[in-house]
């Protein structure tokens, strides 16, 4: 856990120091497909249903490592904080990707949402509190917008150009 915390803090520092230059356009839809596959076993173990519409490409100018970090944090949270037999919904368009999930955690307060170590009381034991801070820092450093809303029992995170 301490090693993961250290890696996350180092990543945040590198992003803040602009050490990851955006090289080319990255198709985040393909990155999402890759991480859905990588998380597949955990998704099956938790008996989560995944609804996805990944028919449109969402291209962003982003360093490949940061694209992986962004998507793996969002999908990882959707899996980790989901309930058994819950659901994950992922939709892409040409200018946005949205990842939604059911959860045992209520709506997340806007003040804590993207702050470092800003975990809710329900998940402190299993979280470093840095995942969403990393997502926000990646978005800000690359001209992307990250938005959160809680609607109809689903936590939804959308990344937009």
């Amino acid at each position: 856990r301490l090693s993961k915390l250290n890696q996350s803090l180092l990543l945040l520092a590198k992003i803040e120091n602009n050490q990851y230059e955006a090289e080319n356009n990255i198709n985040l839809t393909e990155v999402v497909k890759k991480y859905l596959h990588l998380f597949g076993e955990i998704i099956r173990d938790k008996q989560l249903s995944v609804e996805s519409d990944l028919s449109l490409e969402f291209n962003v100018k982003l360093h490949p490592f940061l694209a992986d970090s962004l998507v793996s944090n969002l999908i990882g949270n959707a899996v980790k904080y989901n309930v058994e037999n819950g659901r994950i919904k992922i939709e892409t368009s040409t200018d946005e990707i949205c990842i939604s999930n059911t959860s045992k955690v209520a709506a997340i307060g806007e003040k804590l949402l993207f702050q470092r170590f800003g975990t809710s009381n329900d998940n402190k034991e299993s979280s470093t509190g840095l995942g969403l801070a990393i997502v926000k820092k990646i978005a800000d450093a690359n001209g992307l917008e990250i938005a959160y809303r809680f609607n109809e029992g689903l936590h939804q995170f959308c990344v937009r150009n």
Side-chain angles (χ1 to χ4, degrees), residues 35 39 70-82 99:
Y35 278 95
F39 280 102
L70 178 84
V71 170
S72 68
N73 270 302
L74 291 174
I75 292 179
N77 281 353
V79 171
K80 183 178 185 177
Y81 298 113
N82 215 316
I99 300 173

Side-chain angles (χ1 to χ4, degrees), residues 2-129:
L2 189 57
S3 174
K4 183 170 172 43
L5 178 65
N6 186 43
Q7 288 176 345
S8 295
L9 288 170
L10 283 172
L11 176 58
L12 280 166
K14 286 179 178 182
I15 295 167
E16 288 171 352
N17 290 319
N18 299 313
Q19 292 184 3
Y20 293 103
E21 282 191 48
E23 299 165 350
N24 298 311
N25 277 336
I26 299 285
N27 181 352
L28 281 187
T29 303
E30 289 303 315
V31 179
V32 166
K33 289 177 185 176
K34 175 174 85 173
Y35 278 95
L36 279 176
H37 176 73
L38 291 173
F39 280 102
E41 191 172 325
I42 301 168
I43 289 169
R44 285 187 294 280
D45 285 349
K46 286 185 92 168
Q47 299 176 354
L48 303 175
S49 68
V50 178
E51 305 163 30
S52 61
D53 180 357
L54 304 174
S55 58
L56 297 174
E57 291 185 3
F58 176 44
N59 292 298
V60 294
K61 190 161 180 139
L62 196 57
H63 188 281
F65 179 75
L66 295 184
D68 280 354
S69 294
L70 178 84
V71 170
S72 68
N73 270 302
L74 291 174
I75 292 179
N77 281 353
V79 171
K80 183 178 185 177
Y81 298 113
N82 215 316
V83 294
E84 194 162 323
N85 297 309
R87 72 180 229 232
I88 296 173
K89 184 177 179 182
I90 304 175
E91 299 172 290
T92 59
S93 69
T94 57
D95 62 351
E96 174 180 73
I97 185 165
C98 292
I99 300 173
S100 307
N101 63 281
T102 51
S103 177
K104 55 187 166 229
V105 178
I108 304 169
E110 293 289 326
K111 279 188 165 183
L112 292 178
L113 189 60
F114 296 110
Q115 287 183 359
R116 295 178 188 187
F117 310 112
T119 62
S120 75
N121 289 334
D122 297 338
N123 65 23
K124 277 186 182 173
E125 72 283 346
S126 62
S127 172
T128 62

